Amino acid sequence: MREATAQPLFTRRLLLVLAGMAFAEAARTMTMVQVPLFLRELGADIRQIGLFFTISLIFPLLLRIIGGWVSDSIGRLRAMLIGALSGLAAYAAYAIAPIWQLALAGPAFIALTSALIFPSYKAFIADETPPDQRGRAFGIAETVITTAWILGPPLGGWIAQNFGYRPMFTAAVGAYLIASLVFWGVMRADPGTVQVGGERPNLDSLRASLRQMLVLMVSGGLVTWLLITDGVRDVAFKLSFDLMPIYLAEIGGLSRQSIGLLDGIFGLALAAASFPAGWLIDRTSERTGVTLGLLAVVLSRLVFALAVSFTGFAGSWILLGIGGGLLDPAYSALVARGVPLRLRGITYGLLATSLGLISLPSPWIGSQIWALFGPKWPFLVTAAAGALAIIPAWGKLVAPREVESTSAAKDGDAET
């Protein structure tokens, strides 16, 4: 029987990392819901917007596995710092893009940012927190950084409404600059740690990590289950996600500021749901969080398609936030429980890559459904297809035993 640990749920440096993540998320959330409307302003039609976001999905496929492996090799904080600097470049590219085709430089840099920051952030939490409290740790962490979802979208909408999109992207550059400084400061303050893998990145270690991950993917266990469940969900919801701002503006008649406010309401619901979701997962099982989260997200799309007022759209956004608050801690805790420390970064990256490959054509397909059948149909199809993901989610899942102590190694952010 494992002895009780006296390790605190959150260390000082973990809190600082979460503060840096909040600024990084502020940049992303400030702009994300406005990007389709920015493309409209640059002259893109609905099919071109679908093509833009389909092409945007290719960049993460090329980078996410490498990003997770780099995190395992050079350390979480170093990877997060490089990712934040890439985010700064991404929004600078958006700010100066004269045509929608050149705006694709933004998603290319954002793909590098996500490939480095998000596997590192999740693995950092898993490395730093006690196993028996990990669901709550992920839930609280989501609550902290989700403050950006509450403040960022309304602020971005206000800037876009009153000053234009380019000043909004410039503000996002500033937020990523602050995040970069925070990650750099935390890394410099703790120079005595060693990298997670204990070795410099090289092709042999990458091949070895990929071989081990391939075994996990095809073994029929946890990683296989995650791929099936989240794969169906990802395909369904990418059919309509990037079309939502267009629908709100052109069908719902909402202003840029109102659209930003809706995204802020989503953030509030996400923040409110994350900690209770983590507590529920610790008390019951990860399967409960996944199933309830999928149900909430499916209902959100159905409500969206039927809504005729701001109140109805807000209800949809609230359900979407509750679903995200349930799903993310559940998936993150499952990976942290069932994957060795040395493979956590690459696991988060590989899962995201596999899901992205499966759902690659979804935005383009969704735009074709809109053009051929009408604007409500992508959301109705999403609700129907997303419901299919609940079936494997509710299938019997036996949570794996903790495979490796999280206290055995520190984050790899030493100077070499």
Side-chain angles (χ1 to χ4, degrees):
M1 182 176 180
R2 182 178 296 146
E3 295 180 2
T5 178
Q7 182 180 350
L9 185 58
F10 284 96
T11 62
R12 177 178 174 272
R13 70 187 200 136
L14 179 51
L15 290 172
L16 288 172
V17 166
L18 291 179
M21 282 295 300
F23 280 101
E25 282 290 277
R28 191 169 71 94
T29 60
M30 186 187 304
T31 59
M32 187 169 65
V33 76
Q34 303 290 345
V35 169
L37 299 174
F38 174 64
L39 298 177
R40 272 293 213 206
E41 189 174 88
L42 293 181
D45 62 29
I46 196 70
R47 284 187 169 95
Q48 289 169 332
I49 290 173
L51 178 62
F52 178 94
F53 286 105
T54 294
I55 294 173
S56 298
L57 293 178
I58 296 173
F59 301 125
L61 298 181
L62 303 175
L63 295 170
R64 278 174 175 163
I65 295 176
I66 301 298
W69 167 68
V70 168
S71 172
D72 289 333
S73 301
I74 71 171
R76 314 304 184 199
L77 290 172
R78 274 206 190 101
M80 292 172 77
L81 174 58
I82 297 170
L85 292 172
S86 177
L88 189 154
Y91 291 105
Y94 270 127
I96 64 175
I99 57 176
W100 72 266
Q101 291 90 340
L102 291 181
L104 280 166
F109 280 111
I110 290 171
L112 178 58
T113 299
S114 299
L116 290 168
I117 285 185
F118 286 99
S120 301
Y121 148 68
K122 291 177 182 293
F124 189 89
I125 294 174
D127 297 348
E128 293 272 322
T129 54
D132 58 344
Q133 300 182 54
R134 198 170 284 133
R136 275 164 285 181
F138 277 112
I140 294 172
E142 286 300 308
T143 301
V144 172
I145 67 169
T146 298
T147 55
W149 277 104
I150 301 172
L151 302 175
L155 176 60
W158 179 80
I159 295 173
Q161 185 76 35
N162 292 282
F163 303 100
Y165 285 119
R166 298 188 193 280
M168 178 191 70
F169 290 123
T170 302
V173 169
Y176 259 115
L177 177 60
I178 295 173
S180 301
L181 292 173
V182 171
F183 296 147
W184 180 81
V186 177
M187 188 179 72
R188 296 288 293 178
D190 193 9
T193 54
V194 298
Q195 62 232 43
V196 175
E199 59 183 15
R200 291 180 181 274
N202 57 69
L203 290 178
D204 288 338
S205 66
L206 175 59
R207 282 194 292 266
S209 296
L210 289 175
R211 280 196 299 269
Q212 294 175 66
M213 281 306 308
L214 182 61
V215 171
L216 292 175
M217 290 176 65
V218 302
S219 65
L222 169 68
V223 177
T224 307
W225 183 88
L226 287 173
L227 282 172
I228 294 172
T229 303
D230 212 22
V232 176
R233 179 197 66 85
D234 210 44
V235 168
F237 299 124
K238 280 195 169 66
L239 283 171
S240 60
F241 181 78
D242 295 309
L243 298 174
M244 295 172 82
I246 305 297
Y247 187 95
L248 291 170
E250 298 184 1
I251 308 301
L254 273 61
S255 68
R256 297 173 184 177
Q257 192 165 351
S258 295
I259 293 171
L261 180 59
L262 280 176
D263 221 20
I265 291 172
F266 162 81
L268 187 61
L270 181 60
S274 293
F275 177 71
W279 178 87
L280 177 67
I281 290 163
D282 284 338
R283 293 296 185 196
T284 56
S285 70
E286 289 88 353
R287 182 182 66 172
T288 302
V290 171
T291 304
L292 293 177
L294 287 171
L295 181 61
V297 176
V298 166
L299 288 175
S300 78
R301 286 298 200 278
L302 185 60
V303 171
F304 186 92
L306 300 177
V308 294
S309 67
F310 181 89
T311 302
F313 293 126
S316 169
W317 243 251
I318 289 170
L319 285 168
L320 189 62
I322 293 171
L326 286 159
L327 285 169
D328 193 80
Y331 281 130
S332 298
L334 277 171
V335 173
R337 184 191 297 272
V339 176
L341 182 149
R342 68 185 182 279
L343 293 175
R344 282 175 183 156
I346 198 171
T347 301
Y348 288 119
L350 185 60
L351 283 172
T353 302
S354 301
L355 297 175
L357 182 62
I358 294 169
S359 62
L360 179 61
S362 292
W364 180 81
I365 293 172
S367 69
Q368 299 304 306
I369 294 173
W370 175 307
L372 292 172
F373 301 104
K376 288 186 181 293
W377 278 97
F379 308 101
L380 294 172
V381 172
T382 293
L388 297 176
I390 299 174
I391 298 172
W394 189 244
K396 186 175 181 180
L397 170 69
V398 179
R401 294 187 305 168
E402 185 72 22
V403 296
E404 189 172 313
S405 172
T406 59
S407 61
K410 279 279 190 178
D411 175 69
D413 300 289
E415 292 189 349
T416 57

